Amino acid sequence: MSTPRGIAILGSTGSIGRSTLAVIALHPEIFKVAMLGAFNSWQAIVEQAKTFHPDTVVLVDEHAAAQARAALRDCGSATIVESGEQALADAVSGGNVAVVMAAIVGAAGLKPTLAGVRAGKRVLLANKEALVMTGRLLMEEVRRAGAQLIPIDSEHNAIFQCMPAGYLPGEEKRGVTRLILTASGGPFRTTAAAKLAHVTPDEACAHPKWKMGRKISVDSATLMNKGLEVIEATLLFGMTETQVDVVVHPQSVVHSLVEYADGSVLAQLGAPDMRTPIAQALAWPERIASGVHSLDLVAIGQLEFEPPDHVRFPSLGLARAAARAGGTAPTVLNAANEVAVQAFLDRRLNFVGIATVIDKVLQRLDSTPVKALGDVLDADAAARRLAVSLIELSVGAFA
Ligand code: NAD
Ligand code: MG
C-alpha cells in the first residue's frame, strides 16, 4: 500500500473546509491531513486537529493561535501551531503537502493559494476570488510551476468532468465551442423588484439549494456569484466571455454543460452537495466515495431552465462587462463586491446598493493592463478605498 497523500486545507473551519474533512475521513488509507489553516476560529480548528492530527495548524490571528497552541499542548498533541499570513503560505509549500485545498473566502486567499501553485502542488480551487482578481497571471504561474489546478466550484468541476479525458485547466481545449453554466437563481429568483431593497442579510443567506458561507450566499442572491464564475470559466478553460452562457436551473441537479463542435452537449449531474466535486478533485483521475446520496431523478421529476433576469440582478452584467474590459477590471469588480457585500452583511448598505456601488467603482477606475502581481494588489486596494468611501458618503441613501 502506498503512503497516504498529505492534504493542506486553507479555510478548514469554513463550509468547504468542513466538507473536505468529511470526505477525507472516509479514506484514511488514501489521505492524511498535513495542515489546517483558518483566520481566528481556534475552538473549531482545535477540534479538527484532535480528530485529524495535522503536522501544522495555522491561524492568521496571533491571539487565536496562542489559544489553540495552549489547548493542543494541554491534550498532549504533537501538532505545531503557527500564526500570521506568511505562515499559511509556508505551511502549504512544505514537502509533507501534496494537495492544497484553497478554501479561504475572498482576496485573503490569494497569497497562500499562489504559494501552493508556485510550489507545484495539486491545488483544488474553491477560492474563485483569487483567480478572478489575478486573471491570467495565476494561470501563467500554474503553467510555469507545473502545478495542477482543479476547480472545486460545482459548475467548473462539472465542466472539468465533461472535458476530454486527461484535460487539465490551462491546457488547449479541443473541439469545445461553448460552456453553459447553470445557476440556481438564488433565494430571490421570484422576488419582485420593489421588494429587493428591503431584504435582510439572513434572507439573502437562506439559499434554497446550497449551504454555504455568508459571503458566497450573498453573491448567489445578487447573481454576482455567477458573474465571478463566468470570469473563472474564461480563465480556467481558455474561452471568451461570449462563449460562456448562463442558464437558471432552479433544481441545481445539472451542474453545468460543455458543447462540442459536432453539436454534442455533455452535462454533469448530481445532488447539490459539495462533497461530490471535492471527492472528484481529491482523487482525480480515480473515483472515490464522497458520502453523497445517489440521485433520484424520478423523485426530482422535472428539470427546468430559464434565462437570468438582468434587470433585477444587474451584477451578472457588470461582471460580463469587466470580463470584456479585461486588465484590472475583474480585480476592481471583485474588490468592490467584497466591500459592498460586507457592508450589506453589517447592515450599512441595502441589497440593491451592492450592484450600485460596484457599478460606480468600475465607472471611476479605468481598467489598466496587468503585468505583475503588484498591478493586481494596487487595483484591489484602490477599488476597496473607493467602495468604502462611496458607502460612507451614501449612508442613508442606500441603507
Ligand atoms: P466560509 O465563510 O464558510 O469559510 C471561510 C474560511 O476562510 C474559514 O475557515 C475562515 O476562517 C477562513 N478565512 C476567512 N478570512 C480569512 C483570512 N483573512 N485569512 C485566512 N483565512 C480566512 O466560506 P465557504 O463557503 O467555505 O467558501 C470558501 C470559498 O469557496 C469561497 O471563495 C467561495 O466562493 C468558494 N465556494 C464555496 C462553495 C460552498 O458551497 N460553500 C461553493 C463554491 C465555491
Ligand atoms: Mg458555483
Side-chain angles (χ1 to χ4, degrees):
M1 204 173 91
S2 56
T3 46
R5 310 190 77 192
I7 316 287
I9 307 181
L10 295 165
S12 69
T13 58
S15 165
I16 293 287
R18 284 179 277 122
S19 292
T20 305
L21 286 170
V23 175
I24 289 174
L26 300 175
H27 304 283
E29 72 294 354
I30 314 179
F31 306 115
K32 180 203 178 308
V33 177
M35 175 270 186
L36 295 172
F39 184 67
N40 65 0
S41 36
W42 68 269
Q43 283 113 326
I45 218 165
V46 163
E47 288 312 307
Q48 293 178 337
K50 284 187 196 168
T51 307
F52 291 96
H53 310 292
D55 303 324
T56 315
V57 155
V58 179
L59 286 166
V60 172
D61 183 85
E62 207 175 303
H63 180 68
Q67 305 265 51
R69 195 173 293 120
L72 284 171
R73 197 181 42 221
D74 285 353
C75 64
S77 162
T79 297
I80 295 166
V81 181
E82 310 272 15
S83 71
E85 257 185 58
Q86 187 55 43
L88 280 179
D90 293 344
V92 301
S93 312
N96 57 339
V97 173
V99 180
V100 179
M101 167 56 81
I104 289 174
V105 58
L110 173 60
K111 285 181 184 166
T113 301
L114 195 54
V117 166
R118 286 178 173 161
K121 309 293 184 187
R122 173 180 295 190
V123 177
L124 312 188
L125 186 75
N127 180 204
K128 66 192 88 183
E129 298 92 341
L131 178 59
V132 168
M133 70 187 287
T134 45
R136 278 196 287 271
L137 275 190
L138 188 68
M139 298 310 294
E140 280 162 20
E141 295 272 2
V142 168
R143 218 161 302 144
R144 194 172 312 138
Q148 295 176 333
L149 193 67
I150 302 191
I152 291 298
D153 215 348
S154 57
E155 298 76 5
H156 306 73
N157 183 268
I159 291 168
F160 172 55
Q161 295 196 44
C162 295
M163 290 301 242
Y167 174 88
L168 273 171
E171 291 174 0
E172 188 67 29
K173 62 203 184 277
R174 283 158 281 164
V176 175
T177 48
R178 188 166 63 119
L179 305 177
I180 305 165
L181 299 179
T182 54
S184 69
F188 307 132
R189 183 174 64 88
T190 57
T191 304
K195 289 200 177 146
L196 286 178
H198 310 291
V199 299
T200 65
D202 283 348
E203 286 167 341
C205 290
H207 196 278
K209 291 289 173 196
W210 300 93
K211 286 192 195 69
M212 310 179 287
R214 284 172 83 77
K215 192 267 177 181
I216 182 175
S217 295
V218 176
D219 285 346
S220 300
T222 59
L223 291 200
M224 178 55 89
N225 184 49
K226 215 46 58 179
L228 297 175
E229 290 182 358
V230 168
I231 301 173
E232 183 184 8
T234 63
L235 294 163
L236 288 170
F237 306 113
M239 306 293 278
T240 63
E241 175 266 331
T242 53
Q243 290 174 305
V244 184
D245 282 353
V246 171
V247 58
V248 174
H249 166 46
Q251 289 80 15
S252 295
V253 167
V254 179
H255 297 308
S256 279
L257 311 93
V258 175
E259 184 185 73
Y260 285 87
D262 59 9
S264 296
V265 177
L266 303 192
Q268 186 260 359
L269 281 68
D273 188 320
M274 291 306 292
R275 289 175 298 172
T276 294
I278 290 167
Q280 191 274 345
L282 276 171
W284 182 84
E286 307 293 327
R287 293 278 181 173
I288 56 169
S290 65
V292 175
H293 67 78
S294 73
L295 194 63
D296 184 345
L297 283 172
V298 173
I300 294 160
Q302 283 197 322
L303 300 179
E304 296 162 299
F305 301 95
E306 61 191 46
D309 181 342
H310 288 280
V311 178
R312 283 181 305 141
F313 304 107
S315 290
L316 177 55
L318 293 175
R320 283 196 177 278
R324 286 192 299 274
T328 52
T331 319
V332 168
L333 172 97
N334 177 68
N337 181 56
E338 286 192 29
V339 172
V341 169
Q342 192 56 52
F344 169 70
L345 287 171
D346 298 341
R347 307 197 79 132
R348 289 180 284 114
L349 181 68
N350 79 17
F351 185 78
V352 178
I354 298 172
T356 311
V357 167
I358 299 164
D359 191 14
K360 287 192 173 166
V361 173
L362 278 168
Q363 281 180 30
R364 293 199 200 167
L365 296 181
D366 286 337
S367 169
T368 53
V370 171
K371 298 202 183 82
L373 193 60
D375 301 328
V376 166
L377 300 177
D378 290 349
D380 176 83
R384 279 170 202 274
R385 277 194 303 274
L386 183 53
V388 166
S389 68
L390 285 171
I391 292 165
E392 275 172 9
L393 278 174
S394 56
V395 170
F398 293 143

